Structures are given as C-alpha cells and as structure tokens.
C-alpha cells in the first residue's frame, strides 16, 4: 500500500508520512454508514448540534496547534492561518444559521389537508478538499453535511494530510461517530475510487477546473448523484476612479497576492481605465509590490507571502511566466530575489494590453498579475468578460451608476464594489458561473447541496 508524505513547502522537509487508506476500509465505511441501525442520520437534530458545538470548542482549544500546522504544511503566513482557524470556528454557528434560514420546514393547512416541505440528508457524501484552505474549505462542506445527518468520506488534498488528520481527530473527539465520518488519505486514485463508488450519493468538491471536469466525467452516467463543484477563476478587477490611492493599492495587493495568489478568488487581471489617476495608482501599487516580504512564517521579519505549495506548482507558475513573456507581455515587475530552499516565488506583474487576446484563459495559481489598459468602462467590462470562468470580480469606482453597470453586465458569482476580489464573506454564497462551478455554491449556500426536499400532502379525512 502506498505512502504519502507531507512536506513543509518553506523548508522542503518531510513533516509527516502516512499510509494511504486501504480501499477495503472505504467499502466497509460506506456499507456501515448506509445501515439504518448505525445511522447518525436518525439522531435527533439537537443531538447533532450538540456534537458540532463540542467540535467548535475543540477547535478553539486546539487553535494554536491548527495555526502552526497550517503554517507548516501549507506555508501561509501566521496571520492568514489565524484567520483561517477563526473562520473555521465560526463555520459551526454559520451553518446552523444557514440551516434555519434556508431549510426551515414549511407547513400549510386547509380543513382537509396538510401540506409540508421538509428536508432530508442525501446519504453518503464525499468531500474533496483543497490545499489552499486545508481546514476552512473542507469544513465548509463537512459541517453542513454532518449537521443535516449525512455520512461523510473526507478526502483532503494529499498535500495537507496533517491538517486533515487533526481536523478529523477533533471531530471524533467531539462525538462524531466513526460510522458517520471517515478520512481518506491518498492521491488522485483514492479520490476517483470514492467518487465512483456505487454507495456514494454525492460529491462536494473544491479545487481546480480540470479535476472538476474529471469528477463530472466519472459521474456522467450517474445523474442521480449530487455534484457540487466550486472551482477557480480568471478574476478581473476594474479600476475606474477613487479617492484614496493608498487604500486602493492595498486592495490590489490583497486581491493579487494574499496566500501567494493561491486563492480561487485571487485577482488575475487588473483592468485599468486609462487616466493619470490610474497611472499613478499603478506606480504606487508597483512600489508596494517591491516592498512585499516573502518567506517562512517562522522568519523574524513576518512575511506577507509564503511559498507555493509544491515544486510542481512552482514549475507550472514559471511555465506561465515564460508563456506571457513569449506572447509579448511587458514586464512591470519581476524580482531577482533568490531563495536557498523552499518553493518560494516572487510576484510578477505584466502589462498585457497589447497581447491580452492571445493570452490563454487559464487560472495561474500563484502571484502573477496581468494588467490591461482600456479606454472606457464599457470596454473594461468586455475585457473582464473575456473568460470562460466567472467566480469573482471587483470594481473600484466612486460612482454607484458605474457599479450598477458592472453588476448588471459582468458575468461572475461574486461582484464586489471597492473591495478585493477575495476574502469572501461566509454569510454569502460562494460560487461562480462558467468553468467556476456548476451552480451549486458553497459558503452560506453549501447546506443546500447536503439535502433533498420532501413534499408531502396529508389527507386529514379517512378515505
Ligand atoms: C478561496 O476559496 O480560494 C478563497 C476564499 C476567498 O478568499 O475568497
């Protein structure tokens, strides 16, 4: 049986080594969790809520362990890890809230009949988690799935198995039974095994488009299965006008370079409506990029950006850099900084105004920003929509009419005004159109993909 190793991307040290889950264990879990007698599903809702609240306490108690582990295994900064753990703790309360708001039973009554809509769990769900938010994003599906009574097979990214293991240990400690939750450690083949298992009723996925396509293909002859896909984007941010150049520059830095650009909502394209104001903004922004600190979370000088997740990710990143250069992108920023070890890269900023039509519509998962100058808001929106993705978009403008125009014409599931493209609110749906998903958003709406509605008409008269 295979072994997977967990590597600290800042030091390249092996920090964990795991035996891949035995496929027979997946079979037995699915067999057991389908059995009515053992089912978590038949527990009282209040009992499940109590367990999940205990889990929240458990996360709180182990906060420091989680923060350190996320830093070590994912490479993100201490501050970003802290935010991830805090947001994960809030997930429990937010899922309860979402349940009450979106899935409350409805009853209507006439003299003769009762009409009701209630919601039931789907059954056995596979949650496929990404590496970039190894705790928060899987929990965004696991918590609502468990809350309403599903059983969960959790297959994390093989790059962040340690965080996943600690998370599942905590869920067990809180009282989630082993018949309701199983961790699956392994690579792509393990994921495929789970997805195409006959006893699996649905798949909740967060990750890249190619993986999503392959999942959808393996389920193409099983339309009866729930499939929720949350993928990436080639996200545009349009700048028209503003009052405070420094705050806008901050917003651009956050949008493009938080988590070293490894967010599905990261700004990939900065669309500037040509003016002296946007020219000055670009200069201020580039000055800020020059000052960005890159390093390990343990460095004395706290880094803004950590490494990319793996050597493969770094290679792909440089392939994209080379491609943009070949296609005629003008380098606005690149650094000569070299790194003795770790999968670090420094940011790249290209002006692709003269060649953007040739640049492939891909999601480059790293700190690479493409700048495009345009002459009007109308043109900016046309350029913004030149993508088959549609996750996130932003407008920086002092005009509400301009925001209305962007809101009405930009094709994306998240459209912000004077806010970064990323840092999505957990109180809102999280998902996009086109290659960014399949209209089954996560975030506040994740609970919808964990249930099916049951309609019932009850005749009060004896027949
Ligand atoms: C992500 O899902 O990659 C990012 C969440 C966010 O920052 O919006």
């Amino acid at each position: 049986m295979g072994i997977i190793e967990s590597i600290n991307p800042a030091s390249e040290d092996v920090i964990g080594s795991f035996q891949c889950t035995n496929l027979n264990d997946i079979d037995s879990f699915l067999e057991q969790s389908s059995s009515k007698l053992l089912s978590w599903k038949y527990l009282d809702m209040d009992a499940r809520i109590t367990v999940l609240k205990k889990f929240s306490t458990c996360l709180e108690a182990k906060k420091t362990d989680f923060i350190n582990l996320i830093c070590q295994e994912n490479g993100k900064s201490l501050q970003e890890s802290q935010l991830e753990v805090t947001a994960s703790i809030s997930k429990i309360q937010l899922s309860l809230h979402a349940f009450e708001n979106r899935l409350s039973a409805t009853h209507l009554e006439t003299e003769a009949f009762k009409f009701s809509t209630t919601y039931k769990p789907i059954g056995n769900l596979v949650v496929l988690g990404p590496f970039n938010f190894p705790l928060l994003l899987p929990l965004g599906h696991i918590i609502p799935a468990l809350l309403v009574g599903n059983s969960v097979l959790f297959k994390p990214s093989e790059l962040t198995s340690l965080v996943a293991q600690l998370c599942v240990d905590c869920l067990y400690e809180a009282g989630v039974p082993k018949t309701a939750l199983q961790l699956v450690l392994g690579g792509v083949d393990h994921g495929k095994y789970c997805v195409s298992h006959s006893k699996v009723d649905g798949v909740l996925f967060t990750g890249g488009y190619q993986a999503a396509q392959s999942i959808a293909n393996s389920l193409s002859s099983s339309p009866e299965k729930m499939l929720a896909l949350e993928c990436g984007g080639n996200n545009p941010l349009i700048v028209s006008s503003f009052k405070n150049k420094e705050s806008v520059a901050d917003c651009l830095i956050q949008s493009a370079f938080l988590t070293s650009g490894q967010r599905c909502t990261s700004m990939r394209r900065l669309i500037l409506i040509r003016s002296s104001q946007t020219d000055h903004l670009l200069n201020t922004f580039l000055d800020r990029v020059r000052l960005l600190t890159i390093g390990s979370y343990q460095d004395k000088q706290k880094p803004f950006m950590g490494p990319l997740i793996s050597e493969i990710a770094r290679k792909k990143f440089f392939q994209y850099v080379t491609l943009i250069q070949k296609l005629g992108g003008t380098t606005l920023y690149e650094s000569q900084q070299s790194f003795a070890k770790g999968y670090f890269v420094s940011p790249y900023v290209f002006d692709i105004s003269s060649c953007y039509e040739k640049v492939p519509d891909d999601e480059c998962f790293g700190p690479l920003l493409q700048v495009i100058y345009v002459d009007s808001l109308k043109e900016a929106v046309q350029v913004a929509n030149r993508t088959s993705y549609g996750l996130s978009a932003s407008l920086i403008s002092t005009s509400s009419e301009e925001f209305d125009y962007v809101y009405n014409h930009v094709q994306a599931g998240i459209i912000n005004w004077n806010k970064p493209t990323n840092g999505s609110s957990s109180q809102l749906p999280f998902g996009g159109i086109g290659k960014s998903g399949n209209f089954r958003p996560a975030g506040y709406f994740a609970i919808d993909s964990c249930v099916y509605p049951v309609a019932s008409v009850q005749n009060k008269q004896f027949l």
Side-chain angles (χ1 to χ4, degrees), residues 234-295:
N234 189 3
N235 311 304
L237 182 148
I238 300 171
V239 184
S240 167
S241 57
F242 49 86
K243 285 195 184 131
N244 185 333
K245 189 173 62 171
E246 302 300 324
S247 321
V248 179
D250 270 349
C251 172
L252 302 186
I253 293 281
Q254 276 192 50
S255 295
F257 302 131
L258 269 179
T259 329
S260 307
Q262 299 173 108
R263 291 196 184 199
C264 358
T265 47
S266 295
M267 163 177 59
R268 308 287 173 209
R269 295 175 296 145
L270 169 61
I271 303 172
L272 298 175
I273 304 180
R274 210 181 297 276
S275 70
S276 58
Q277 199 186 29
T278 51
D279 275 348
H280 288 135
L281 171 68
L282 185 61
N283 289 332
T284 306
F285 168 69
L286 292 172
D287 288 342
R288 292 285 181 89
V289 180
R290 269 176 213 111
L291 297 177
L292 286 181
T293 45
I294 303 160

Side-chain angles (χ1 to χ4, degrees), residues 423-442:
S424 317
S425 163
S426 353
Q427 314 205 22
L428 298 174
F430 181 76
I433 59 166
K435 287 184 180 174
S436 296
N438 67 340
F439 305 104
R440 287 262 167 209

Side-chain angles (χ1 to χ4, degrees), residues 117-193:
T117 310
T118 57
Y119 298 88
K120 291 193 179 179
I122 290 174
N124 292 324
L125 296 178
V126 176
V127 172
L128 296 166
F131 74 82
N132 63 342
F133 283 87
L135 183 66
L136 179 64
L137 292 181
L139 284 180
H141 280 136
I142 294 172
I143 299 295
L146 289 175
L147 173 66
V148 294
N150 295 284
S151 302
V152 173
L153 259 183
F154 170 32
K155 158 72 184 75
S157 158
E158 65 271 31
L159 301 168
T160 49
S161 306
L162 280 169
V163 176
Q165 179 78 68
L166 185 60
C167 172
V168 168
D169 288 349
C170 246
L171 281 156
Y172 288 153
E173 196 180 317
V176 175
K178 292 197 170 161
T179 48
L181 173 72
Q182 156 114 18
L183 177 63
V184 176
L185 295 175
V188 176
D189 288 345
H190 275 71
K192 285 188 175 158
Y193 189 79

